[in-house]
Amino acid sequence: MNNLMLSSILSLSGVGVLAASILYIASKKFHVEEDPRIDQVEGVLPMANCGGCGFAGCRNFAEAVVKAGKLDGLNCPVGGAECMAQVAHIMGVDVQETEPMVAVLRCNGSRKNAPQKTHYDGALNCFAAHALFAGESGCPNGCLGLGDCAVACSFDAITVNPETGLPEVDDDKCVACGACVTACPRDIYELRPKGINSKRVYVACMNTQKGAPAKKNCSVACIGCMKCVKATESKSVSVKNFLSYIGTDVDTESHGPQLIDCCPTSAILGVNIEGSKNA
Amino acid sequence: MPSLKTFSRGGVHPPECKISAKMNIEVLHVPQKVSIPISQHLGAPSTPLVKRGDMVKVGTPVAKTSGFISANIHSSVSGKVANIAEVVDTSGYPRKAVVIDVDGDEWEESIDRGSDLKKDISLSRDEIVQKVLESGVVGLGGATFPTHVKLMVPQGKKAEILIINGVECEPYLTSDHRLMLERGEELMVGIHIIMIALESDKAIIGIEANKPDAIKYLTGLAKDYPGVSVQTLKVKYPQGGEKQLIKAITGREVPNKGGLPIDVGTVVHNVGTVLAIYEAVQKNRPLVERVVTITGKSVKKPGNYMVRIGTPVQDLVEAAGGIPENSGKIISGGPMMGKTLTNLDVPVVKGTSGILIIPLDESKRKVEGNCIRCGKCVSVCPLGVEPHLLYALSKRGDWERAEKEDVMNCCECGSCQYTCPAHLPLLDYLRVGKAEVGKQIRARHNKK
């Protein structure tokens, strides 16, 4: 009896010691030198693994940062300036000034502005609806309101307002990861700079039809009248395919109110811009 | 009684509801305005040939083919081109169309408008193909594939059997049925023309057993035409699908992954197309009108009408006594594969086989449940794909896997969705998957 126990203990311990020594030798022999900074950088990242930086996950981003040795073009939109300052500190480089961005819905075709003409009862997501028809309002470029963007958002920043039928972006929660931009089958979202004091001005329309058909479906559609281009004479405002686009480099201070007031269909929206009709 | 021929895999049998089967084809009045979309066929949209203010007659070309797989388009009315504008068509999106204000009804002089039967075929094989191409004939069964392409047999292949599709398996629709009864003689000549073009000596007309009058009539006529016969088929949906019809009649199976009927020595044409070919070749008459069924359970005057291409659906609905009360949906095509229209200004196009008005209580989709893995969708799928799986993959956006699981094989017949006890929108997602995977395949192809 004693013999059996003793031999078991000895043989199992023997196997254990043998395996341990093999593992030890292997870990020494096949050791991969890894920069300890990768772990440090990863430690300060938010670990949301959202892909907003352009890499598959936070670990990949940390590896890229350490490999590059500098922060050119590398930014974690979720962590923001604070997080990037810590990363810069670990890497021993200067902090890069990055402008905070926010997702903007370039459509204002609410139930009121673009009344429902038909009722859709197919598969309830934008992707499927987009493949089937123009939309309940008839606008072929407008928001379908079925919330693919809200589903794609990992930060709970987008909710579809049942009253207007349009999704709303919560500026404070949005980290500009770009998931909604990819999810929207009609490319309605755009990442734009949050702006100084959150002042922004943009064209809330994607309709490329001529004025009359565009206006038929939506009262706030851009009709490509060129008034915004003429009013500002700014290089950042342009009209293509009967659709105006205000570049992200627009001077909101001087041109903001002007742009908003000149638009005859109120297709240009401003956020936090005073002295204009939709402030 | 021996059991009737049919295809072996899958299929369903929805209620037939052929309300308008006894109604003669009537000619619908010429509308006041037509919108003729430049993309009415499968393949590249045609290039417009007219501009605002041009005067056109019936049969004047308004758009020409822009590639091998494309088709000519002719004016279906006489009058003045009002505009080339964007008009919402069956796709649900505004697309380019030639809008013509109608003035009188003047036809191009080269067109023979007589109703006499012209039996002698004087044209050679190549001339027939050329004539069909010029006349803008496309597959009128619904897929609108340019017909001239199907008349050219690729080198090294042989069209042993010409199959004529008189199945009309979609519930409600009766346009092909009426055509067979009323234009039988012309069909026979048309079949003969196609046989010359394909150098084929055997033609079989496939008709489902629910149209005994058409079977009897055409069998009688076929006696005078060597090589032509009629095959009665068991009623089963989607027998009108090309692959299913070939399987039902010849027992041959078209290979998956891009196989064509010609690979198994067959070519399939719809009866509507055969008539269009007859008119193009014998009467020099381009495709400017087609038979459209207007029907529905509560429609006052269901019927079959000869309609000019580009006529607003509104005119057709009015001819049938207007929209009945408590209507839910107006569908272009049949209930299984058709598409709901978003408004009544949508024009009748070459592919419009019917307009169906569904009462409100029948139009609503049932509440979606969860997939219970019963496998019914798999058992009814005529192509042997797994709709429940493709549905999940498409919903998740896993296009790579969807391609591997043969989403492109789906013929969009809708049998899966019809049979699903959980009322899942299977067809919607299969269509989405097909569109997306198709896009990716084309992108890859273009890169090479």
Side-chain angles (χ1 to χ4, degrees):
Chain A
M1 189 65 183
N2 268 351
N3 242 350
L4 185 64
M5 273 175 69
L6 196 66
S7 63
S8 315
I9 290 167
L10 281 178
S11 60
L12 281 177
S13 319
V15 170
V17 169
L18 186 69
S21 45
I22 293 173
L23 281 177
Y24 179 75
I25 293 163
S27 75
K28 284 289 165 207
K29 194 166 166 74
F30 302 114
H31 179 67
V32 178
E33 199 60 57
E34 198 175 48
D35 200 317
R37 290 180 302 176
I38 293 177
D39 282 332
Q40 288 170 9
V41 171
E42 198 186 359
V44 299
L45 291 176
M47 294 308 282
N49 286 321
C50 64
C53 54
F55 295 91
C58 294
R59 177 85 189 173
N60 303 66
F61 176 73
E63 282 168 7
V65 168
V66 173
K67 196 179 167 197
K70 53 193 178 200
L71 294 178
D72 291 353
L74 296 165
N75 180 39
C76 171
V78 182
E82 200 181 315
C83 164
M84 287 315 288
Q86 284 176 306
V87 175
H89 178 72
I90 295 165
M91 297 299 296
V93 294
D94 289 337
V95 182
Q96 298 253 330
E97 278 292 327
T98 48
E99 222 174 346
M101 308 282 268
V102 68
V104 171
L105 182 78
R106 291 179 289 171
C107 174
N108 195 14
S110 60
R111 294 245 189 272
K112 200 171 132 227
N113 294 335
Q116 215 177 340
K117 297 195 187 70
T118 47
H119 177 72
Y120 172 71
D121 67 352
L124 287 178
N125 69 51
C126 308
F127 201 89
H130 173 68
L132 293 171
F133 79 136
E136 289 183 335
S137 72
C139 174
N141 305 97
C143 176
L144 293 158
L146 297 169
D148 277 14
C149 48
V151 175
C153 184
S154 326
F155 302 94
D156 210 10
I158 303 179
T159 41
V160 179
N161 185 332
E163 215 165 282
T164 59
L166 289 176
E168 284 166 5
V169 181
D170 184 336
D171 280 13
D172 298 330
K173 286 183 182 168
C174 176
V175 298
C177 68
C180 50
V181 179
T182 326
C184 179
R186 294 191 161 174
D187 293 328
I188 297 173
Y189 279 99
E190 187 192 17
L191 297 181
R192 291 179 75 94
K194 255 188 180 149
I196 306 151
N197 301 328
S198 289
K199 282 185 183 183
R200 301 192 288 275
V201 60
Y202 61 97
V203 181
C205 184
M206 289 295 282
N207 189 295
T208 53
Q209 290 176 295
K210 283 186 187 169
K215 196 84 183 81
K216 206 171 111 189
N217 292 326
C218 180
S219 64
V220 293
C222 172
I223 53 173
C225 66
M226 306 289 286
K227 275 194 179 155
C228 47
V229 176
K230 283 172 198 152
T232 55
E233 290 183 349
S234 156
K235 257 190 268 169
S236 32
V237 185
S238 58
V239 173
K240 203 178 147 194
N241 291 334
F242 312 100
L243 175 64
S244 166
Y245 177 74
I246 299 175
T248 49
D249 54 348
V250 69
D251 184 352
T252 44
E253 283 299 331
S254 61
H255 289 323
Q258 210 179 350
L259 278 166
I260 295 163
D261 289 334
C262 77
C263 182
T265 61
S266 306
I268 297 176
L269 291 188
V271 180
N272 297 320
I273 291 177
E274 282 165 31
S276 61
K277 55 188 175 189
N278 60 7
Chain B
M1 189 180 142
S3 61
L4 292 169
K5 279 193 177 181
T6 186
F7 57 100
S8 50
R9 194 196 270 152
V12 290
H13 187 179
E16 289 162 27
C17 304
K18 304 271 190 187
I19 304 164
S20 52
K22 296 265 182 275
M23 317 288 177
N24 284 338
I25 299 173
E26 283 176 54
V27 178
L28 188 73
H29 63 90
V30 179
Q32 297 188 325
K33 193 178 201 169
V34 293
S35 332
I36 305 174
I38 58 161
S39 179
Q40 303 185 27
H41 46 263
L42 211 77
S46 317
T47 326
L49 292 170
V50 289
K51 54 182 193 305
R52 181 190 285 201
D54 283 359
M55 298 303 286
V56 291
K57 291 179 187 171
V58 181
T60 311
V62 291
K64 71 167 196 301
T65 154
S66 60
F68 181 57
I69 300 188
S70 183
N72 288 334
I73 295 168
H74 302 77
S75 173
S76 57
V77 291
S78 69
K80 196 172 176 182
V81 177
N83 209 348
I84 301 201
E86 289 200 327
V87 174
V88 177
D89 67 6
T90 349
S91 72
Y93 280 90
R95 290 218 201 131
K96 228 186 227 179
V98 179
V99 183
I100 303 170
D101 284 327
V102 180
D103 180 18
D105 192 28
E106 204 179 322
W107 289 58
E108 286 282 348
E109 274 138 29
S110 56
I111 299 171
D112 175 2
R113 292 184 64 195
S115 58
D116 54 311
L117 183 71
K118 231 173 126 183
K119 270 191 170 178
D120 304 321
I121 302 153
S122 53
L123 299 187
S124 74
R125 203 180 135 206
D126 291 343
E127 283 166 339
I128 291 173
V129 175
Q130 191 55 34
K131 201 86 225 171
V132 169
L133 167 67
E134 274 169 22
S135 306
V137 181
V138 299
L140 297 183
T144 60
F145 189 81
T147 301
H148 64 272
V149 182
K150 273 167 87 174
L151 290 181
M152 288 185 269
V153 182
Q155 285 232 308
K157 303 253 166 80
K158 187 164 162 38
E160 293 163 42
I161 308 173
L162 166 66
I163 295 174
I164 303 300
N165 189 345
V167 173
E168 201 158 55
C169 58
E170 272 269 2
Y172 288 97
L173 302 186
T174 55
S175 53
D176 289 353
H177 184 185
R178 290 313 305 177
L179 214 60
M180 288 190 282
L181 284 176
E182 294 175 35
R183 312 289 289 269
E185 295 261 10
E186 283 142 296
L187 281 181
M188 288 297 163
V189 181
I191 291 169
H192 205 67
I193 295 169
I194 305 174
M195 284 164 80
I196 293 173
L198 295 173
E199 290 181 327
S200 152
D201 48 19
K202 197 174 171 192
I204 304 174
I205 310 170
I207 308 176
E208 283 189 347
N210 59 359
K211 303 181 225 347
D213 45 356
I215 295 170
K216 200 175 152 208
Y217 177 55
L218 290 187
T219 313
L221 285 180
K223 282 180 191 136
D224 298 335
Y225 293 84
V228 183
S229 61
V230 176
Q231 174 71 55
T232 309
L233 301 165
K234 191 181 161 188
V235 181
K236 193 156 110 179
Y237 180 88
Q239 195 140 240
E242 210 170 45
K243 288 180 177 176
Q244 286 71 45
L245 186 59
I246 294 170
K247 173 79 184 165
I249 290 185
T250 65
R252 299 176 193 181
E253 230 166 279
V254 179
N256 276 344
K257 297 194 201 280
L260 294 172
I262 194 72
D263 295 335
V264 292
T266 55
V267 172
V268 183
H269 284 285
N270 176 270
V271 286
T273 320
V274 177
L275 185 71
I277 292 173
Y278 165 80
E279 293 197 320
V281 175
Q282 300 295 74
K283 303 269 177 176
N284 203 20
R285 185 177 170 143
L287 182 58
V288 293
E289 51 187 7
R290 67 156 296 147
V291 184
V292 180
T293 303
I294 167 107
T295 179
K297 279 181 186 156
S298 46
V299 172
K300 283 197 199 97
K301 273 170 53 198
N304 303 289
Y305 289 91
M306 190 58 101
V307 185
R308 301 282 174 97
I309 303 291
T311 305
V313 168
Q314 175 79 43
D315 287 34
L316 203 55
V317 171
E318 274 164 22
I323 303 178
E325 254 178 75
N326 285 326
S327 291
K329 271 181 187 170
I330 299 180
I331 294 174
S332 163
M336 297 294 283
M337 288 184 76
K339 253 192 102 168
T340 308
L341 297 175
T342 50
N343 69 59
L344 286 179
D345 294 329
V346 171
V348 166
V349 291
K350 291 177 182 177
T352 312
S353 45
I355 299 294
L356 171 61
I357 305 179
I358 304 255
L360 192 62
D361 53 331
E362 281 184 29
S363 74
K364 285 194 180 135
R365 291 202 189 209
K366 301 207 175 95
V367 181
E368 252 176 72
N370 290 319
C371 176
I372 53 167
R373 310 268 150 165
C374 63
K376 274 192 174 170
C377 55
V378 184
S379 70
V380 298
C381 179
L383 288 148
V385 297
E386 292 175 69
H388 71 96
L389 173 68
L390 291 169
Y391 158 79
L393 292 174
S394 179
K395 205 169 182 178
R396 169 142 54 94
D398 192 344
W399 311 122
E400 209 174 312
R401 177 96 195 274
E403 191 183 342
K404 225 185 263 172
E405 300 289 349
D406 289 333
V407 70
M408 294 312 279
N409 258 347
C410 167
C411 66
E412 305 180 21
C413 69
S415 298
C416 49
Q417 191 160 334
Y418 174 78
T419 196
C420 179
H423 312 299
L424 294 175
L426 294 167
L427 179 59
D428 291 354
Y429 279 99
L430 280 165
R431 278 185 174 155
V432 166
K434 264 184 86 173
E436 188 60 32
V437 171
K439 216 190 287 167
Q440 291 187 4
I441 292 175
R442 276 196 298 281
R444 267 207 310 268
H445 194 76
N446 290 343
K447 228 188 228 171
K448 270 178 197 166

